[in-house]
Amino acid sequence: EAFDCVELLGKKYLRVDPAIRCDDDEYRLILTIASGGVLFGCVLAPLLIIWHTTRKHASLERVSRARVALLTYSYQDKFHYWEAVDLTRKLLLTSVVLLVGPDTILQLWFAAATGLTFLVLHIGFAPYQDEASGLIQLAALVQLEFTYVTGALFFDRKPKELQGEALLVANCLVVLPLVVTG
């Protein structure tokens, strides 16, 4: 919400609190705090999880390995960090997507491209130990991608614009061969 300013009579105001102008010092403080939160949540937290699981997962001490087992037990040993990858996907698709072109087709394109990227990563690496878990995750990722593409098709836009249809075609050209191969 801190990044969402709206223009009114030539001045920008914070949408959730119109008493705050987007060009004053109070807003700059809010923006700094929100930017720090995005940096921590989307970059530093996943890196910390990777560092922690790598360090503890390879430990010779059983207690150390047990401390990260909750984050690593579902994945093959070489993909012990995959929980951080999945958390990054979730953060991108629940938080960052709100910042990218709010209420535009660009937002749907961002969601579809992010979803497609993680779908390709999942198919390419197959990180789960259990095949059933991998198939369930594959089904969930395909369903999410289908939702984003369908949203783009029904997005309210001018009748002659074909961005939604282009997104559908682009996704089909990538997803269908991957799903069949996967």
Side-chain angles (χ1 to χ4, degrees), residues 106-121:
L106 176 63
Q107 193 171 41
L108 286 169
W109 274 85
F110 175 80
T114 302
L116 184 61
T117 299
F118 284 93
L119 176 61
V120 169
L121 287 173

Side-chain angles (χ1 to χ4, degrees), residues 77-154:
D77 280 343
K78 64 183 177 180
F79 297 113
H80 62 274
Y81 57 85
W82 201 261
E83 188 67 22
V85 173
D86 201 38
L87 286 174
T88 302
R89 175 186 63 84
K90 291 173 184 176
L91 281 167
L92 288 170
L93 292 175
T94 59
S95 299
V96 176
V97 70
L98 299 174
L99 306 175
V100 178
D103 302 326
T104 65
I105 193 79
L106 176 63
Q107 193 171 41
L108 286 169
W109 274 85
F110 175 80
T114 302
L116 184 61
T117 299
F118 284 93
L119 176 61
V120 169
L121 287 173
H122 173 76
I123 291 172
F125 290 114
Y128 287 90
Q129 283 188 26
D130 181 36
E131 186 178 337
S133 296
L135 288 173
I136 291 168
Q137 179 70 356
L138 176 64
L141 292 172
V142 168
Q143 184 273 331
L144 280 172
E145 193 63 20
F146 179 75
T147 301
Y148 301 137
V149 171
T150 304
L153 284 174
F154 292 105

Side-chain angles (χ1 to χ4, degrees), residues 58-89:
S59 175
L60 297 176
E61 298 176 22
R62 190 180 72 76
V63 174
S64 292
R65 287 191 313 273
R67 288 185 178 152
V68 296
L70 182 64
L71 296 174
T72 63
Y73 78 93
S74 297
Y75 308 108
Q76 297 175 37
D77 280 343
K78 64 183 177 180
F79 297 113
H80 62 274
Y81 57 85
W82 201 261
E83 188 67 22
V85 173
D86 201 38
L87 286 174
T88 302
R89 175 186 63 84

